[in-house]
Amino acid sequence: MNHNNKGVLIVISGFSGSGKGTVIKELIKNPHYALSVSATTRQPRIGEVEGVHYFFKNKDEFLSMIKNNELLEWAEFCNNYYGTPKQYVEKQLAKGKDVILEIEVQGALQVKQLFPECILIFLTPPNLKILKQRLEKRGTEDIFIIEKRLQRAKEELDYIHGYDYIVINDVLTETILKVQNIVQAEHCKTIRNQSLIRDLKGE
Ligand code: 5GP
C-alpha cells in the first residue's frame, strides 16, 4: 500500500548562471520528477522552444493569465514577467510526482506562503567571481544584461534566509546527489507519513 502518494513541491532558485538548468536537466531524467514550464514575456533565446523551455507570451497575454488566476505565482525579473501555470503543478502533485519549479526568489517566497510544506532550495556557485565567468562563457546575454543579472544576484542574497536549503553547485554529480537526498528526506518526514503511522498503529 502506498502511504505517501502526494508529490513534494520542490522550488529551485539560484543566481542567473548558477547552473540550475543543468542540475534540473539531470534530475528530471528520473520520471518521478515533473518540471513545471513557466510563462514569460522574455524573448526566446536561440534554441529555446515554445512549451519546452517556456510558454512565451506578450505582456497583454501575461496580464490576462494573472487576471484569470491561472498562475500559482508570478514576478518581475530584469524587466520581464515570469509565472508558474497553476493547473499543471496541481495535477502532477496529485498524481504523486515531485514537481520542480525553477523560479526566482520573490516567486519562491510566494509559493512557500501558499504551500508551507514545499521545499525551497537555493543553488549557488562557490563565489560571485565564478558566477561572472559562467555568465560570460554562456554567451547568451550581452555585457549590459550580464551586469544587470550580477547586480540582481546581490539583491537576491537578501531573500536567502527564507530558503530551507542552500547547496553549492561546484561538482555537478555531488549537487544532484545533495538535492536528491534532500527530497528523499522530505518524503520520510513523519508529517508526510500520517497514513503509514495510522496503519502501523492498526487504526
Ligand atoms: P531566465 O531569463 O534566465 O530564463 O530566467 C530568469 C529568472 O526567472 C531565473 O531566476 C528563473 O529561475 C526565473 N523564473 C523562471 N520562470 C519563473 C516563474 O515562473 N516564476 C518566477 N517567479 N521566476 C521564474
Side-chain angles (χ1 to χ4, degrees):
M1 184 176 171
N2 185 356
H3 291 281
N4 188 15
N5 51 13
K6 191 154 186 278
V8 174
L9 184 56
I10 306 153
V11 176
I12 300 186
S13 307
F15 307 127
S16 202
S18 62
K20 52 189 188 302
T22 313
V23 171
I24 290 169
K25 216 161 112 189
E26 284 301 313
L27 286 172
I28 60 170
K29 286 185 180 163
N30 176 343
H32 191 74
Y33 291 104
L35 176 64
S36 158
V37 177
S38 297
T40 184
T41 59
R42 161 166 87 56
Q43 289 298 309
R45 293 186 187 127
I46 293 168
E48 283 185 333
V49 177
E50 165 71 17
V52 175
H53 297 96
Y54 280 107
F55 296 107
F56 294 100
K57 304 285 175 192
N58 63 36
K59 198 171 168 193
D60 284 345
E61 288 168 336
F62 195 95
L63 293 177
S64 90
M65 288 181 88
I66 298 175
K67 200 168 145 226
N68 297 331
N69 200 22
E70 289 171 39
L71 298 176
L72 194 69
E73 60 72 39
W74 63 274
E76 201 179 340
F77 180 92
C78 294
N79 303 334
N80 286 302
Y81 289 111
Y82 295 82
T84 305
K86 191 190 279 183
Q87 207 181 30
Y88 175 83
V89 174
E90 290 175 347
K91 271 197 185 150
Q92 297 299 317
L93 286 176
K95 272 197 217 166
K97 298 256 184 182
D98 291 336
V99 179
I100 300 176
L101 307 186
E102 193 241 284
I103 64 178
E104 55 66 67
V105 290
Q106 302 163 72
L109 298 180
Q110 287 178 51
V111 175
K112 190 73 174 174
Q113 284 207 326
L114 283 172
F115 299 93
E117 73 282 10
C118 77
I119 42 180
L120 301 191
I121 302 175
F122 196 91
L123 285 188
T124 174
N127 58 58
L128 288 188
K129 208 170 138 206
I130 293 182
L131 183 69
K132 187 165 185 234
Q133 286 165 0
R134 284 188 191 167
L135 279 173
E136 286 168 353
K137 205 169 141 212
R138 186 163 86 177
T140 50
E141 277 88 14
D142 65 29
I143 192 74
F144 172 73
I145 294 185
I146 289 177
E147 284 306 323
K148 201 162 176 187
R149 286 184 172 231
L150 285 171
Q151 180 53 40
R152 177 72 194 161
K154 289 184 185 140
E155 290 163 18
E156 283 177 337
L157 284 170
D158 290 337
Y159 295 84
I160 219 155
H161 294 290
Y163 279 71
D164 301 302
Y165 299 96
I166 177 162
V167 175
I168 295 177
N169 182 24
D170 196 4
V171 179
L172 183 64
T173 47
E174 286 176 16
T175 307
I176 289 159
L177 208 62
K178 282 182 194 164
V179 174
Q180 284 169 334
N181 288 343
I182 290 169
V183 177
Q184 283 292 323
E186 194 62 32
H187 274 286
C188 294
K189 277 194 171 161
T190 45
I191 191 79
R192 290 190 191 271
N193 288 279
Q194 294 303 309
S195 137
L196 167 65
I197 294 166
R198 276 196 299 277
D199 209 47
L200 291 170
K201 283 178 164 177
E203 289 173 1

